């Protein structure tokens, strides 16, 4: 068991995950500004991007350390050892938004807990949550999946598994792939499922486009910039596979008639009573054949 109580005392070391603007520089919070100014070290996904951000925020003379996805596991331990030894405050920022959300940061937190270093969050802008609020889709129940697979076959397989999910589904997507992804969505989710494309959040070209998939297929618009893709939850009930029906029938036929069992299984699986009854007849026929062999 690990307990993290960062504010029970003022002792260092401590790590702050600092949220940064996703577009508009004014999205920075007063607390984020203070922590960035006070931090002994600022670790960041890209030192060039963070240098530009700090310059715009009039924060100067800060020691920056690179900590990106490919180096996070090893380098986070090195940085943590340093702040432990020297009793320092470390601020971590990704290129935009909340660290750890489709960005580096989670391994730093994991290692900090292992090494008994306090961690706190400086909340702020988040692209996926901002897009959810603007989409008009159900925001009480949602799932965020980050970026979709780039390979078409893997993307389709991944989406097939989510086809009947009831909650709003949220993804990040590249402007170079969004058109192909829309075609895949139309194939998997069918044409009447609603989606929302939210792009360039908090910037001058911020745009929210919501409609049914067939409308997007007929649209020649170019989708540029940072994109959040949202899919409205399914209104359909998932139909159970034949394998699942067979499993339920084989178990149920030991203690119940086929007619009665077909009715109860139909309610559970979103399959018709007739379909289930016919599968049950085949099971019984096969059993009789095997008995006479």
């Amino acid at each position: 068991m690990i307990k993290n109580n960062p504010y029970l005392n003022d002792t260092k070391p401590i790590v702050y995950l600092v949220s940064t603007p996703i577009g508009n520089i004014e999205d920075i919070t007063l607390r984020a500004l203070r922590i960035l100014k006070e931090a002994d070290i600022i670790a960041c996904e890209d030192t060039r991007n963070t240098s530009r951000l700090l310059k715009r925020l009039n924060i100067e003379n800060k020691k920056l350390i690179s900590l990106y996805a490919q180096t996070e596991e090893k380098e986070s331990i090195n940085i943590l050892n340093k702040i432990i030894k020297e009793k320092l405050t470390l601020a971590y920022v990704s290129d935009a938004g909340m660290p750890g959300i489709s960005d580096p940061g989670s391994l730093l937190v994991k290692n900090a807990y292992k090494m008994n270093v306090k961690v706190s969050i400086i909340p702020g802008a988040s692209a996926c949550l901002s897009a959810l609020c603007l989409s008009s889709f159900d925001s009480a129940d949602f799932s965020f999946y980050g970026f979709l697979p780039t390979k078409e076959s893997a993307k389709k397989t991944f989406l097939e598994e989510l086809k009947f999910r009831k909650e709003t589904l949220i993804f990040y997507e590249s402007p170079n792939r969004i058109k192909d992804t829309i075609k895949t969505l139309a194939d998997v989710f069918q044409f009447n499922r609603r989606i929302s494309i939210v792009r360039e959040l908090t910037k001058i070209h911020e745009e929210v486009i919501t409609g049914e998939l067939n409308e997007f297929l007929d649209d020649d618009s170019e989708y540029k910039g940072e994109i959040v893709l949202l899919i409205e939850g399914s209104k359909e009930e998932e139909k159970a596979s034949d394998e699942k029906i067979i499993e339920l029938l084989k178990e149920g036929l030991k203690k119940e008639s086929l007619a009665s069992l077909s009715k109860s299984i139909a309610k559970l699986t979103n399959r018709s009573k007739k379909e289930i009854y016919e599968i049950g007849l085949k099971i019984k026929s096969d059993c009789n054949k095997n008995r006479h062999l």
Side-chain angles (χ1 to χ4, degrees):
M1 181 183 292
I2 297 171
K3 289 188 177 182
N4 175 56
N5 303 104
Y7 302 119
L8 288 183
N9 56 60
D10 294 329
T11 59
K12 299 178 182 181
I14 186 169
V15 174
Y16 289 102
L17 301 178
V18 183
S19 301
T20 54
I22 56 176
N24 194 313
I25 191 70
E26 293 178 358
D27 288 339
I28 195 77
T29 68
L30 293 174
R31 189 165 175 235
L33 281 172
R34 178 176 64 80
I35 295 298
L36 290 173
K37 288 176 182 177
E38 293 177 357
D40 299 302
I41 300 173
I42 298 176
C44 45
E45 187 176 3
D46 188 317
T47 56
R48 294 164 299 182
N49 290 337
T50 301
S51 292
R52 286 192 288 270
L53 173 65
L54 294 177
K55 187 174 182 180
R56 293 184 68 189
L57 296 173
N58 295 316
I59 299 174
E60 300 177 347
N61 302 319
K62 284 296 174 182
K63 179 177 177 59
L64 300 184
I65 297 178
S66 178
L67 186 66
Y68 53 95
Q70 291 76 10
T71 64
E72 186 180 3
E73 179 65 64
K74 180 181 177 181
E75 289 304 315
S76 62
I77 294 173
N78 293 335
I79 295 170
L80 289 167
N81 278 325
K82 179 177 177 63
I83 69 169
I84 291 170
K85 182 179 179 181
E86 301 179 25
K87 297 190 176 352
L88 303 176
T89 296
L90 171 69
Y92 181 73
V93 298
S94 57
D95 283 344
M98 188 84 72
I101 306 298
S102 275
D103 273 334
S106 59
L107 290 176
L108 171 64
V109 175
K110 180 180 177 181
N111 287 329
Y113 288 157
K114 285 181 179 178
M115 299 167 71
N116 201 29
V117 176
K118 299 182 296 183
V119 182
S120 187
I121 184 77
I122 311 300
S126 171
C128 60
L129 295 181
S130 300
L132 176 64
C133 295
L134 289 173
S135 70
S136 79
F137 294 165
D138 179 18
S139 59
D141 191 10
F142 64 91
S143 294
F144 172 64
Y145 293 93
F147 282 93
L148 282 161
T150 55
K151 192 175 179 182
E152 180 61 27
S153 58
K155 182 192 300 182
K156 188 171 183 179
T157 299
F158 184 79
L159 290 169
E160 286 280 3
E161 295 177 359
L162 304 176
K163 184 174 181 178
F164 294 101
R165 296 293 292 262
K166 303 298 183 186
E167 76 274 24
T168 301
L169 309 176
I170 309 174
F171 306 91
Y172 291 154
E173 188 53 293
S174 158
N176 300 322
R177 294 194 297 266
I178 188 65
K179 289 279 190 179
D180 289 335
T181 295
I182 289 171
K183 291 176 185 176
T184 307
L185 290 175
D187 186 32
V188 173
F189 291 91
Q190 304 305 314
F191 300 105
N192 61 348
R193 184 69 71 90
R194 289 205 309 156
I195 68 168
S196 186
I197 290 177
V198 182
R199 65 181 197 88
E200 293 293 87
L201 277 162
T202 76
K203 302 175 186 176
I204 193 168
H205 295 296
E206 178 178 291
E207 182 176 43
V208 181
I209 311 167
T210 303
E212 295 186 352
L213 275 164
N214 62 305
E215 296 177 282
F216 284 88
L217 289 172
D218 296 333
D219 186 13
D220 293 329
S221 300
E222 290 295 321
Y223 305 110
K224 297 179 180 179
E226 303 291 331
I227 293 173
V228 184
L229 169 66
L230 302 98
I231 305 171
E232 191 171 34
S234 174
K235 302 294 191 292
E236 304 174 55
E237 293 294 330
E238 183 173 7
K239 291 185 177 182
S241 65
D242 284 358
E243 289 78 10
K244 182 64 177 177
I245 298 297
I246 291 168
E247 180 187 330
L248 291 170
L249 282 167
K250 284 183 175 179
E251 183 64 30
L253 284 171
K254 297 175 184 176
K255 42 193 171 181
E256 195 174 345
S257 71
L258 177 57
S260 172
L261 188 59
S262 297
K263 186 176 180 180
S264 59
I265 291 177
K267 290 180 180 178
L268 288 172
T269 61
N270 198 32
R271 296 284 292 268
S272 71
K273 181 181 174 182
K274 181 182 177 183
E275 283 180 300
I276 295 166
Y277 191 83
E278 288 175 351
I279 294 172
L281 287 176
K282 187 174 185 308
I283 291 172
K284 293 180 95 173
S285 174
D286 290 344
C287 286
N288 288 332
K289 285 179 183 177
N290 292 333
R291 204 173 289 128
H292 292 300
L293 291 176

